[in-house]
Amino acid sequence: MKSQEPYSEEGSPAALKPPAPLARSGGGGAALGLYRLPETDGLKNPTQPGKIQRKVDVKNYTDEERQEWRRTRDCENAERASIARRWIAEEFAKHGRQPAICQCGRAIKGEASRVALTEEATIYHDRIQCRSWACPICGHKRAWSRALELQDALLAANARGYKQLFITFTIPHTARQKTRTVVRHLAAAYHRFRNDKGVKQLLAEEGFIGQVKALDFTLTGNGTHAHYHTVYVFDSRLELAELAEKVQAVMVDAWDAAVHRETGRHINRAHGFDVERIELLQGDDEQSEALALYAAKVISIYSSSADKDKGSITPFDLLRVDATDEERRRFLDWYEGQRGVRRLVFSRGLKGRLGIEPREYERPAQVTVASVSPEVTDYLRDERNRQMLAYLLTTGQASDALRWLADESGGIVMQSARLVRALDRGSPVRECVREELERRREAMQEPDPMVLG
């Protein structure tokens, strides 16, 4: 084995410091900030979303920095997921049965498992995926898929000449209110708002096409801050700035009235309702795609960062080893309050009108390195073990790495001889994986002599 390895003597990954976030958002009002500031020639502070004008401003990190950030993020998410599973199992297990999230990462009962390798030297293995929004692993994957769908929608609407507005809806709440109560008030107020006569007339006059509505959460000292991030699409003759002013004038009063009717309190006009323009560049597909993806990540769930300068955090920030009883209570309240609630919704017919296809989280092309027993799958549930295996597979003898996996996990590991031999000869991982994928594609295209006979 090669001597240089990014792990401590205890076998855990070395501390990796992620680069600064690509962009920062303040959550509710002015979350996008894309076109609130005058256009500038340069970019002095890449964390100021209001000054993002070029693709290079959105994506300006090296591959090494991104890999370090991903490794650190994966370890953090795995640790948080482990804490969430334990808390939820202790609180919500009934008659010996646990919620699906508690089984996330375990071996799939009755099915063979495999360990696979990608061209980027990333390790995947078959396991249960709970697909819960409350899972720090599955939730982020689903949020990323929804962000890609929203990016497609923004670009399609822009290509058709439609006007797009980003509107945030927030309601007042207190620290004593449970998450489920806040979510119920928010949904009921929004239903009243959309049935307001003035709002209906406005949408009809300005050629309303449809909306995308995302439910987002942050936690503050004043309790659970649930709010809607929405994109309203119009086929309007007005200029975008004029349309935004008209929408602001009509909708803010309608939203305030709906919230007051539902909660008995008025909104904070500085933060409870906000309208921003989404204006993608014309004639520059590369920059338009980058800006659309940035906007989609802000709007979609968990992609926008909480404004920690104002004491705001995300529910996942509560998942710490040294969490207090109060932090545990707040996370479990949020978990119970968000169950069964749709998180991102396209209005009926909007996807069809824009020609949007569903997007799901997709694994990259991969080849099987070994077939493994359930004990091995459960061992790889620990992200540190998975990263260690990936490191050993790609920096030394693959056969030795797989023997290490069998010894450490106490399970059965059946190596894929052809691929392992190629890796042991010192061939680059990318080349080995590519050749194996090509060989399998050719094998699938060959006719079966038994069928022809």
Side-chain angles (χ1 to χ4, degrees), residues 28 166-171 182-191 212-217 225-230 255 272 274 299 341-343:
F166 172 56
I167 308 177
T168 302
F169 297 86
T170 304
I171 65 171
V182 177
V183 171
R184 185 176 68 248
H185 285 326
L186 178 64
Y190 191 78
H191 181 73
V212 184
K213 182 178 66 174
L215 174 62
D216 197 11
F217 295 94
H225 178 60
H227 50 281
Y228 287 135
H229 287 169
T230 66
W255 177 240
D274 187 75
I299 296 165
V341 180
R342 299 186 69 183
R343 308 298 290 274

PDB file of all heavy atoms in Angstrom, residues 28 166-171 182-191 212-217 225-230 255 272 274 299 341-343:
ATOM      1  N   GLY A  28     -35.822  33.727   4.061  1.00  0.00           N
ATOM      2  CA  GLY A  28     -37.006  34.459   3.631  1.00  0.00           C
ATOM      3  C   GLY A  28     -36.627  35.773   3.004  1.00  0.00           C
ATOM      4  O   GLY A  28     -35.537  36.024   2.715  1.00  0.00           O
ATOM      5  N   PHE A 166     -39.906  35.428  -8.172  1.00  0.00           N
ATOM      6  CA  PHE A 166     -39.645  34.608  -6.997  1.00  0.00           C
ATOM      7  C   PHE A 166     -40.325  35.284  -5.805  1.00  0.00           C
ATOM      8  O   PHE A 166     -39.969  36.402  -5.429  1.00  0.00           O
ATOM      9  CB  PHE A 166     -38.140  34.496  -6.768  1.00  0.00           C
ATOM     10  CG  PHE A 166     -37.760  33.826  -5.479  1.00  0.00           C
ATOM     11  CD1 PHE A 166     -38.222  32.561  -5.177  1.00  0.00           C
ATOM     12  CD2 PHE A 166     -36.924  34.460  -4.571  1.00  0.00           C
ATOM     13  CE1 PHE A 166     -37.858  31.935  -3.990  1.00  0.00           C
ATOM     14  CE2 PHE A 166     -36.558  33.845  -3.382  1.00  0.00           C
ATOM     15  CZ  PHE A 166     -37.030  32.581  -3.094  1.00  0.00           C
ATOM     16  N   ILE A 167     -41.317  34.611  -5.211  1.00  0.00           N
ATOM     17  CA  ILE A 167     -42.118  35.210  -4.140  1.00  0.00           C
ATOM     18  C   ILE A 167     -42.016  34.341  -2.891  1.00  0.00           C
ATOM     19  O   ILE A 167     -42.199  33.124  -2.958  1.00  0.00           O
ATOM     20  CB  ILE A 167     -43.594  35.352  -4.568  1.00  0.00           C
ATOM     21  CG1 ILE A 167     -43.685  36.079  -5.919  1.00  0.00           C
ATOM     22  CG2 ILE A 167     -44.390  36.084  -3.506  1.00  0.00           C
ATOM     23  CD1 ILE A 167     -45.098  36.204  -6.457  1.00  0.00           C
ATOM     24  N   THR A 168     -41.722  34.969  -1.768  1.00  0.00           N
ATOM     25  CA  THR A 168     -41.595  34.272  -0.491  1.00  0.00           C
ATOM     26  C   THR A 168     -42.771  34.639   0.408  1.00  0.00           C
ATOM     27  O   THR A 168     -43.092  35.827   0.568  1.00  0.00           O
ATOM     28  CB  THR A 168     -40.284  34.653   0.210  1.00  0.00           C
ATOM     29  OG1 THR A 168     -39.177  34.334  -0.647  1.00  0.00           O
ATOM     30  CG2 THR A 168     -40.129  33.896   1.524  1.00  0.00           C
ATOM     31  N   PHE A 169     -43.399  33.627   1.003  1.00  0.00           N
ATOM     32  CA  PHE A 169     -44.544  33.813   1.887  1.00  0.00           C
ATOM     33  C   PHE A 169     -44.172  33.328   3.288  1.00  0.00           C
ATOM     34  O   PHE A 169     -43.764  32.179   3.461  1.00  0.00           O
ATOM     35  CB  PHE A 169     -45.755  33.021   1.389  1.00  0.00           C
ATOM     36  CG  PHE A 169     -46.277  33.453   0.050  1.00  0.00           C
ATOM     37  CD1 PHE A 169     -45.738  32.935  -1.125  1.00  0.00           C
ATOM     38  CD2 PHE A 169     -47.299  34.379  -0.049  1.00  0.00           C
ATOM     39  CE1 PHE A 169     -46.217  33.326  -2.361  1.00  0.00           C
ATOM     40  CE2 PHE A 169     -47.790  34.782  -1.280  1.00  0.00           C
ATOM     41  CZ  PHE A 169     -47.244  34.253  -2.449  1.00  0.00           C
ATOM     42  N   THR A 170     -44.330  34.192   4.271  1.00  0.00           N
ATOM     43  CA  THR A 170     -43.974  33.870   5.649  1.00  0.00           C
ATOM     44  C   THR A 170     -45.121  34.276   6.571  1.00  0.00           C
ATOM     45  O   THR A 170     -45.826  35.249   6.296  1.00  0.00           O
ATOM     46  CB  THR A 170     -42.698  34.628   6.072  1.00  0.00           C
ATOM     47  OG1 THR A 170     -41.651  34.303   5.150  1.00  0.00           O
ATOM     48  CG2 THR A 170     -42.254  34.236   7.453  1.00  0.00           C
ATOM     49  N   ILE A 171     -45.306  33.540   7.667  1.00  0.00           N
ATOM     50  CA  ILE A 171     -46.340  33.875   8.645  1.00  0.00           C
ATOM     51  C   ILE A 171     -45.704  34.095  10.019  1.00  0.00           C
ATOM     52  O   ILE A 171     -44.620  33.567  10.298  1.00  0.00           O
ATOM     53  CB  ILE A 171     -47.420  32.773   8.751  1.00  0.00           C
ATOM     54  CG1 ILE A 171     -46.816  31.465   9.291  1.00  0.00           C
ATOM     55  CG2 ILE A 171     -48.100  32.545   7.417  1.00  0.00           C
ATOM     56  CD1 ILE A 171     -47.841  30.410   9.615  1.00  0.00           C
ATOM     57  N   VAL A 182     -47.630  25.367  12.911  1.00  0.00           N
ATOM     58  CA  VAL A 182     -47.140  26.422  12.019  1.00  0.00           C
ATOM     59  C   VAL A 182     -47.377  26.037  10.561  1.00  0.00           C
ATOM     60  O   VAL A 182     -47.836  26.858   9.751  1.00  0.00           O
ATOM     61  CB  VAL A 182     -45.648  26.694  12.272  1.00  0.00           C
ATOM     62  CG1 VAL A 182     -45.125  27.752  11.295  1.00  0.00           C
ATOM     63  CG2 VAL A 182     -45.418  27.143  13.704  1.00  0.00           C
ATOM     64  N   VAL A 183     -47.090  24.784  10.213  1.00  0.00           N
ATOM     65  CA  VAL A 183     -47.288  24.319   8.832  1.00  0.00           C
ATOM     66  C   VAL A 183     -48.770  24.368   8.459  1.00  0.00           C
ATOM     67  O   VAL A 183     -49.130  24.762   7.343  1.00  0.00           O
ATOM     68  CB  VAL A 183     -46.721  22.896   8.665  1.00  0.00           C
ATOM     69  CG1 VAL A 183     -47.106  22.325   7.305  1.00  0.00           C
ATOM     70  CG2 VAL A 183     -45.211  22.904   8.816  1.00  0.00           C
ATOM     71  N   ARG A 184     -49.634  23.983   9.386  1.00  0.00           N
ATOM     72  CA  ARG A 184     -51.072  24.012   9.112  1.00  0.00           C
ATOM     73  C   ARG A 184     -51.563  25.444   8.878  1.00  0.00           C
ATOM     74  O   ARG A 184     -52.338  25.706   7.945  1.00  0.00           O
ATOM     75  CB  ARG A 184     -51.839  23.381  10.268  1.00  0.00           C
ATOM     76  CG  ARG A 184     -53.335  23.256  10.002  1.00  0.00           C
ATOM     77  CD  ARG A 184     -54.073  22.547  11.117  1.00  0.00           C
ATOM     78  NE  ARG A 184     -54.088  23.344  12.344  1.00  0.00           N
ATOM     79  CZ  ARG A 184     -53.448  23.036  13.443  1.00  0.00           C
ATOM     80  NH1 ARG A 184     -52.702  21.938  13.504  1.00  0.00           N
ATOM     81  NH2 ARG A 184     -53.522  23.810  14.515  1.00  0.00           N
ATOM     82  N   HIS A 185     -51.103  26.385   9.706  1.00  0.00           N
ATOM     83  CA  HIS A 185     -51.484  27.789   9.521  1.00  0.00           C
ATOM     84  C   HIS A 185     -50.969  28.333   8.190  1.00  0.00           C
ATOM     85  O   HIS A 185     -51.674  29.069   7.488  1.00  0.00           O
ATOM     86  CB  HIS A 185     -50.935  28.647  10.668  1.00  0.00           C
ATOM     87  CG  HIS A 185     -51.677  28.495  11.954  1.00  0.00           C
ATOM     88  ND1 HIS A 185     -53.032  28.272  12.016  1.00  0.00           N
ATOM     89  CD2 HIS A 185     -51.248  28.536  13.250  1.00  0.00           C
ATOM     90  CE1 HIS A 185     -53.421  28.193  13.279  1.00  0.00           C
ATOM     91  NE2 HIS A 185     -52.352  28.332  14.046  1.00  0.00           N
ATOM     92  N   LEU A 186     -49.738  27.969   7.836  1.00  0.00           N
ATOM     93  CA  LEU A 186     -49.149  28.448   6.583  1.00  0.00           C
ATOM     94  C   LEU A 186     -49.949  27.939   5.385  1.00  0.00           C
ATOM     95  O   LEU A 186     -50.268  28.714   4.466  1.00  0.00           O
ATOM     96  CB  LEU A 186     -47.696  27.983   6.490  1.00  0.00           C
ATOM     97  CG  LEU A 186     -46.934  28.357   5.213  1.00  0.00           C
ATOM     98  CD1 LEU A 186     -46.786  29.864   5.090  1.00  0.00           C
ATOM     99  CD2 LEU A 186     -45.557  27.687   5.193  1.00  0.00           C
ATOM    100  N   ALA A 187     -50.274  26.651   5.382  1.00  0.00           N
ATOM    101  CA  ALA A 187     -51.028  26.077   4.263  1.00  0.00           C
ATOM    102  C   ALA A 187     -52.424  26.678   4.166  1.00  0.00           C
ATOM    103  O   ALA A 187     -52.911  26.990   3.059  1.00  0.00           O
ATOM    104  CB  ALA A 187     -51.105  24.563   4.428  1.00  0.00           C
ATOM    105  N   ALA A 188     -53.093  26.861   5.302  1.00  0.00           N
ATOM    106  CA  ALA A 188     -54.448  27.409   5.294  1.00  0.00           C
ATOM    107  C   ALA A 188     -54.444  28.865   4.828  1.00  0.00           C
ATOM    108  O   ALA A 188     -55.323  29.290   4.049  1.00  0.00           O
ATOM    109  CB  ALA A 188     -55.065  27.297   6.683  1.00  0.00           C
ATOM    110  N   ALA A 189     -53.460  29.647   5.276  1.00  0.00           N
ATOM    111  CA  ALA A 189     -53.374  31.038   4.857  1.00  0.00           C
ATOM    112  C   ALA A 189     -53.100  31.142   3.356  1.00  0.00           C
ATOM    113  O   ALA A 189     -53.678  32.000   2.664  1.00  0.00           O
ATOM    114  CB  ALA A 189     -52.280  31.753   5.643  1.00  0.00           C
ATOM    115  N   TYR A 190     -52.258  30.263   2.852  1.00  0.00           N
ATOM    116  CA  TYR A 190     -51.954  30.309   1.417  1.00  0.00           C
ATOM    117  C   TYR A 190     -53.183  29.926   0.591  1.00  0.00           C
ATOM    118  O   TYR A 190     -53.417  30.497  -0.483  1.00  0.00           O
ATOM    119  CB  TYR A 190     -50.781  29.369   1.099  1.00  0.00           C
ATOM    120  CG  TYR A 190     -50.243  29.551  -0.295  1.00  0.00           C
ATOM    121  CD1 TYR A 190     -49.407  30.618  -0.596  1.00  0.00           C
ATOM    122  CD2 TYR A 190     -50.571  28.661  -1.321  1.00  0.00           C
ATOM    123  CE1 TYR A 190     -48.908  30.807  -1.881  1.00  0.00           C
ATOM    124  CE2 TYR A 190     -50.076  28.836  -2.607  1.00  0.00           C
ATOM    125  CZ  TYR A 190     -49.251  29.911  -2.874  1.00  0.00           C
ATOM    126  OH  TYR A 190     -48.773  30.095  -4.147  1.00  0.00           O
ATOM    127  N   HIS A 191     -53.964  28.986   1.081  1.00  0.00           N
ATOM    128  CA  HIS A 191     -55.202  28.607   0.395  1.00  0.00           C
ATOM    129  C   HIS A 191     -56.165  29.795   0.335  1.00  0.00           C
ATOM    130  O   HIS A 191     -56.771  30.063  -0.713  1.00  0.00           O
ATOM    131  CB  HIS A 191     -55.856  27.435   1.112  1.00  0.00           C
ATOM    132  CG  HIS A 191     -57.125  26.960   0.473  1.00  0.00           C
ATOM    133  ND1 HIS A 191     -57.160  26.257  -0.711  1.00  0.00           N
ATOM    134  CD2 HIS A 191     -58.439  27.121   0.857  1.00  0.00           C
ATOM    135  CE1 HIS A 191     -58.409  25.987  -1.038  1.00  0.00           C
ATOM    136  NE2 HIS A 191     -59.199  26.501  -0.110  1.00  0.00           N
ATOM    137  N   VAL A 212     -44.469  27.106  -9.020  1.00  0.00           N
ATOM    138  CA  VAL A 212     -43.748  26.051  -8.313  1.00  0.00           C
ATOM    139  C   VAL A 212     -43.675  26.501  -6.861  1.00  0.00           C
ATOM    140  O   VAL A 212     -43.233  27.623  -6.583  1.00  0.00           O
ATOM    141  CB  VAL A 212     -42.341  25.839  -8.877  1.00  0.00           C
ATOM    142  CG1 VAL A 212     -41.668  24.663  -8.174  1.00  0.00           C
ATOM    143  CG2 VAL A 212     -42.379  25.612 -10.376  1.00  0.00           C
ATOM    144  N   LYS A 213     -44.106  25.650  -5.948  1.00  0.00           N
ATOM    145  CA  LYS A 213     -44.154  26.019  -4.525  1.00  0.00           C
ATOM    146  C   LYS A 213     -43.301  25.052  -3.715  1.00  0.00           C
ATOM    147  O   LYS A 213     -43.512  23.846  -3.761  1.00  0.00           O
ATOM    148  CB  LYS A 213     -45.597  25.996  -4.025  1.00  0.00           C
ATOM    149  CG  LYS A 213     -45.753  26.420  -2.569  1.00  0.00           C
ATOM    150  CD  LYS A 213     -47.215  26.416  -2.138  1.00  0.00           C
ATOM    151  CE  LYS A 213     -47.791  25.017  -2.130  1.00  0.00           C
ATOM    152  NZ  LYS A 213     -49.162  24.960  -1.592  1.00  0.00           N
ATOM    153  N   ALA A 214     -42.352  25.593  -2.963  1.00  0.00           N
ATOM    154  CA  ALA A 214     -41.470  24.777  -2.133  1.00  0.00           C
ATOM    155  C   ALA A 214     -41.630  25.185  -0.676  1.00  0.00           C
ATOM    156  O   ALA A 214     -41.621  26.371  -0.345  1.00  0.00           O
ATOM    157  CB  ALA A 214     -40.013  24.951  -2.563  1.00  0.00           C
ATOM    158  N   LEU A 215     -41.795  24.189   0.185  1.00  0.00           N
ATOM    159  CA  LEU A 215     -41.870  24.430   1.626  1.00  0.00           C
ATOM    160  C   LEU A 215     -40.468  24.312   2.220  1.00  0.00           C
ATOM    161  O   LEU A 215     -39.800  23.294   2.049  1.00  0.00           O
ATOM    162  CB  LEU A 215     -42.806  23.414   2.278  1.00  0.00           C
ATOM    163  CG  LEU A 215     -42.888  23.430   3.806  1.00  0.00           C
ATOM    164  CD1 LEU A 215     -43.419  24.770   4.309  1.00  0.00           C
ATOM    165  CD2 LEU A 215     -43.769  22.286   4.301  1.00  0.00           C
ATOM    166  N   ASP A 216     -40.043  25.352   2.907  1.00  0.00           N
ATOM    167  CA  ASP A 216     -38.705  25.359   3.496  1.00  0.00           C
ATOM    168  C   ASP A 216     -38.816  25.643   4.988  1.00  0.00           C
ATOM    169  O   ASP A 216     -39.802  26.222   5.449  1.00  0.00           O
ATOM    170  CB  ASP A 216     -37.829  26.418   2.816  1.00  0.00           C
ATOM    171  CG  ASP A 216     -36.356  26.208   3.089  1.00  0.00           C
ATOM    172  OD1 ASP A 216     -35.999  25.139   3.616  1.00  0.00           O
ATOM    173  OD2 ASP A 216     -35.557  27.113   2.777  1.00  0.00           O
ATOM    174  N   PHE A 217     -37.800  25.212   5.732  1.00  0.00           N
ATOM    175  CA  PHE A 217     -37.790  25.397   7.181  1.00  0.00           C
ATOM    176  C   PHE A 217     -36.455  25.966   7.636  1.00  0.00           C
ATOM    177  O   PHE A 217     -35.401  25.564   7.152  1.00  0.00           O
ATOM    178  CB  PHE A 217     -37.967  24.058   7.912  1.00  0.00           C
ATOM    179  CG  PHE A 217     -39.284  23.379   7.693  1.00  0.00           C
ATOM    180  CD1 PHE A 217     -39.427  22.430   6.695  1.00  0.00           C
ATOM    181  CD2 PHE A 217     -40.367  23.663   8.505  1.00  0.00           C
ATOM    182  CE1 PHE A 217     -40.623  21.776   6.500  1.00  0.00           C
ATOM    183  CE2 PHE A 217     -41.576  23.020   8.324  1.00  0.00           C
ATOM    184  CZ  PHE A 217     -41.706  22.076   7.320  1.00  0.00           C
ATOM    185  N   HIS A 225     -39.618  28.253  11.778  1.00  0.00           N
ATOM    186  CA  HIS A 225     -39.939  29.252  10.759  1.00  0.00           C
ATOM    187  C   HIS A 225     -40.207  28.519   9.443  1.00  0.00           C
ATOM    188  O   HIS A 225     -39.294  28.256   8.655  1.00  0.00           O
ATOM    189  CB  HIS A 225     -38.775  30.226  10.609  1.00  0.00           C
ATOM    190  CG  HIS A 225     -38.971  31.264   9.551  1.00  0.00           C
ATOM    191  ND1 HIS A 225     -40.002  32.172   9.564  1.00  0.00           N
ATOM    192  CD2 HIS A 225     -38.251  31.536   8.438  1.00  0.00           C
ATOM    193  CE1 HIS A 225     -39.919  32.958   8.513  1.00  0.00           C
ATOM    194  NE2 HIS A 225     -38.862  32.590   7.806  1.00  0.00           N
ATOM    195  N   ALA A 226     -41.464  28.150   9.223  1.00  0.00           N
ATOM    196  CA  ALA A 226     -41.865  27.500   7.969  1.00  0.00           C
ATOM    197  C   ALA A 226     -42.309  28.581   6.986  1.00  0.00           C
ATOM    198  O   ALA A 226     -43.014  29.524   7.369  1.00  0.00           O
ATOM    199  CB  ALA A 226     -42.999  26.517   8.224  1.00  0.00           C
ATOM    200  N   HIS A 227     -41.914  28.447   5.736  1.00  0.00           N
ATOM    201  CA  HIS A 227     -42.266  29.452   4.735  1.00  0.00           C
ATOM    202  C   HIS A 227     -42.272  28.819   3.351  1.00  0.00           C
ATOM    203  O   HIS A 227     -41.677  27.759   3.134  1.00  0.00           O
ATOM    204  CB  HIS A 227     -41.282  30.635   4.779  1.00  0.00           C
ATOM    205  CG  HIS A 227     -39.845  30.221   4.743  1.00  0.00           C
ATOM    206  ND1 HIS A 227     -39.175  29.756   5.853  1.00  0.00           N
ATOM    207  CD2 HIS A 227     -38.942  30.190   3.724  1.00  0.00           C
ATOM    208  CE1 HIS A 227     -37.926  29.467   5.534  1.00  0.00           C
ATOM    209  NE2 HIS A 227     -37.759  29.709   4.237  1.00  0.00           N
ATOM    210  N   TYR A 228     -42.955  29.472   2.435  1.00  0.00           N
ATOM    211  CA  TYR A 228     -43.013  29.011   1.048  1.00  0.00           C
ATOM    212  C   TYR A 228     -42.072  29.834   0.184  1.00  0.00           C
ATOM    213  O   TYR A 228     -42.094  31.074   0.230  1.00  0.00           O
ATOM    214  CB  TYR A 228     -44.428  29.131   0.483  1.00  0.00           C
ATOM    215  CG  TYR A 228     -45.414  28.120   1.005  1.00  0.00           C
ATOM    216  CD1 TYR A 228     -46.690  28.513   1.388  1.00  0.00           C
ATOM    217  CD2 TYR A 228     -45.080  26.768   1.101  1.00  0.00           C
ATOM    218  CE1 TYR A 228     -47.621  27.578   1.855  1.00  0.00           C
ATOM    219  CE2 TYR A 228     -45.993  25.837   1.566  1.00  0.00           C
ATOM    220  CZ  TYR A 228     -47.260  26.249   1.951  1.00  0.00           C
ATOM    221  OH  TYR A 228     -48.164  25.329   2.418  1.00  0.00           O
ATOM    222  N   HIS A 229     -41.251  29.142  -0.597  1.00  0.00           N
ATOM    223  CA  HIS A 229     -40.521  29.749  -1.699  1.00  0.00           C
ATOM    224  C   HIS A 229     -41.278  29.373  -2.965  1.00  0.00           C
ATOM    225  O   HIS A 229     -41.474  28.183  -3.231  1.00  0.00           O
ATOM    226  CB  HIS A 229     -39.089  29.209  -1.780  1.00  0.00           C
ATOM    227  CG  HIS A 229     -38.203  29.721  -0.703  1.00  0.00           C
ATOM    228  ND1 HIS A 229     -36.951  29.194  -0.470  1.00  0.00           N
ATOM    229  CD2 HIS A 229     -38.352  30.709   0.203  1.00  0.00           C
ATOM    230  CE1 HIS A 229     -36.374  29.849   0.532  1.00  0.00           C
ATOM    231  NE2 HIS A 229     -37.208  30.761   0.963  1.00  0.00           N
ATOM    232  N   THR A 230     -41.682  30.353  -3.749  1.00  0.00           N
ATOM    233  CA  THR A 230     -42.484  30.063  -4.942  1.00  0.00           C
ATOM    234  C   THR A 230     -41.913  30.768  -6.168  1.00  0.00           C
ATOM    235  O   THR A 230     -41.257  31.813  -6.055  1.00  0.00           O
ATOM    236  CB  THR A 230     -43.950  30.521  -4.761  1.00  0.00           C
ATOM    237  OG1 THR A 230     -43.993  31.950  -4.654  1.00  0.00           O
ATOM    238  CG2 THR A 230     -44.568  29.906  -3.513  1.00  0.00           C
ATOM    239  N   TRP A 255     -52.093  38.779   1.082  1.00  0.00           N
ATOM    240  CA  TRP A 255     -51.411  37.822   1.964  1.00  0.00           C
ATOM    241  C   TRP A 255     -51.577  38.228   3.429  1.00  0.00           C
ATOM    242  O   TRP A 255     -51.824  37.382   4.293  1.00  0.00           O
ATOM    243  CB  TRP A 255     -49.940  37.728   1.596  1.00  0.00           C
ATOM    244  CG  TRP A 255     -49.135  36.829   2.470  1.00  0.00           C
ATOM    245  CD1 TRP A 255     -48.061  37.167   3.237  1.00  0.00           C
ATOM    246  CD2 TRP A 255     -49.333  35.429   2.689  1.00  0.00           C
ATOM    247  NE1 TRP A 255     -47.565  36.079   3.913  1.00  0.00           N
ATOM    248  CE2 TRP A 255     -48.340  34.987   3.591  1.00  0.00           C
ATOM    249  CE3 TRP A 255     -50.242  34.503   2.198  1.00  0.00           C
ATOM    250  CZ2 TRP A 255     -48.238  33.661   4.028  1.00  0.00           C
ATOM    251  CZ3 TRP A 255     -50.148  33.177   2.625  1.00  0.00           C
ATOM    252  CH2 TRP A 255     -49.172  32.763   3.529  1.00  0.00           C
ATOM    253  N   GLY A 272     -42.365  39.392   5.885  1.00  0.00           N
ATOM    254  CA  GLY A 272     -43.412  38.391   5.713  1.00  0.00           C
ATOM    255  C   GLY A 272     -43.815  38.123   4.288  1.00  0.00           C
ATOM    256  O   GLY A 272     -44.445  37.103   3.997  1.00  0.00           O
ATOM    257  N   ASP A 274     -42.267  38.877   0.087  1.00  0.00           N
ATOM    258  CA  ASP A 274     -41.183  39.456  -0.700  1.00  0.00           C
ATOM    259  C   ASP A 274     -41.292  39.003  -2.153  1.00  0.00           C
ATOM    260  O   ASP A 274     -41.563  37.834  -2.434  1.00  0.00           O
ATOM    261  CB  ASP A 274     -39.827  39.029  -0.133  1.00  0.00           C
ATOM    262  CG  ASP A 274     -38.681  39.746  -0.824  1.00  0.00           C
ATOM    263  OD1 ASP A 274     -38.474  40.936  -0.535  1.00  0.00           O
ATOM    264  OD2 ASP A 274     -38.000  39.121  -1.660  1.00  0.00           O
ATOM    265  N   ILE A 299     -34.163  28.208  -4.019  1.00  0.00           N
ATOM    266  CA  ILE A 299     -35.594  28.017  -3.858  1.00  0.00           C
ATOM    267  C   ILE A 299     -35.916  26.635  -3.319  1.00  0.00           C
ATOM    268  O   ILE A 299     -36.817  26.461  -2.500  1.00  0.00           O
ATOM    269  CB  ILE A 299     -36.306  28.245  -5.212  1.00  0.00           C
ATOM    270  CG1 ILE A 299     -36.120  29.702  -5.651  1.00  0.00           C
ATOM    271  CG2 ILE A 299     -37.795  27.913  -5.105  1.00  0.00           C
ATOM    272  CD1 ILE A 299     -36.460  29.954  -7.093  1.00  0.00           C
ATOM    273  N   VAL A 341     -46.095  15.887   4.542  1.00  0.00           N
ATOM    274  CA  VAL A 341     -46.324  17.173   3.884  1.00  0.00           C
ATOM    275  C   VAL A 341     -45.544  17.214   2.576  1.00  0.00           C
ATOM    276  O   VAL A 341     -44.353  16.891   2.550  1.00  0.00           O
ATOM    277  CB  VAL A 341     -45.890  18.341   4.795  1.00  0.00           C
ATOM    278  CG1 VAL A 341     -46.128  19.680   4.095  1.00  0.00           C
ATOM    279  CG2 VAL A 341     -46.643  18.299   6.117  1.00  0.00           C
ATOM    280  N   ARG A 342     -46.201  17.597   1.490  1.00  0.00           N
ATOM    281  CA  ARG A 342     -45.511  17.716   0.199  1.00  0.00           C
ATOM    282  C   ARG A 342     -44.562  18.899   0.253  1.00  0.00           C
ATOM    283  O   ARG A 342     -44.922  19.982   0.691  1.00  0.00           O
ATOM    284  CB  ARG A 342     -46.519  17.878  -0.934  1.00  0.00           C
ATOM    285  CG  ARG A 342     -47.463  16.701  -1.083  1.00  0.00           C
ATOM    286  CD  ARG A 342     -48.348  16.854  -2.298  1.00  0.00           C
ATOM    287  NE  ARG A 342     -47.572  16.735  -3.530  1.00  0.00           N
ATOM    288  CZ  ARG A 342     -48.089  16.886  -4.753  1.00  0.00           C
ATOM    289  NH1 ARG A 342     -49.374  17.176  -4.888  1.00  0.00           N
ATOM    290  NH2 ARG A 342     -47.331  16.763  -5.824  1.00  0.00           N
ATOM    291  N   ARG A 343     -43.363  18.688  -0.239  1.00  0.00           N
ATOM    292  CA  ARG A 343     -42.319  19.684  -0.049  1.00  0.00           C
ATOM    293  C   ARG A 343     -42.085  20.569  -1.269  1.00  0.00           C
ATOM    294  O   ARG A 343     -41.685  21.723  -1.113  1.00  0.00           O
ATOM    295  CB  ARG A 343     -41.014  18.983   0.349  1.00  0.00           C
ATOM    296  CG  ARG A 343     -41.182  18.033   1.519  1.00  0.00           C
ATOM    297  CD  ARG A 343     -41.637  18.776   2.749  1.00  0.00           C
ATOM    298  NE  ARG A 343     -40.585  19.603   3.261  1.00  0.00           N
ATOM    299  CZ  ARG A 343     -39.652  19.164   4.094  1.00  0.00           C
ATOM    300  NH1 ARG A 343     -39.668  17.921   4.521  1.00  0.00           N
ATOM    301  NH2 ARG A 343     -38.713  19.974   4.518  1.00  0.00           N
TER     302      ARG A 343
END
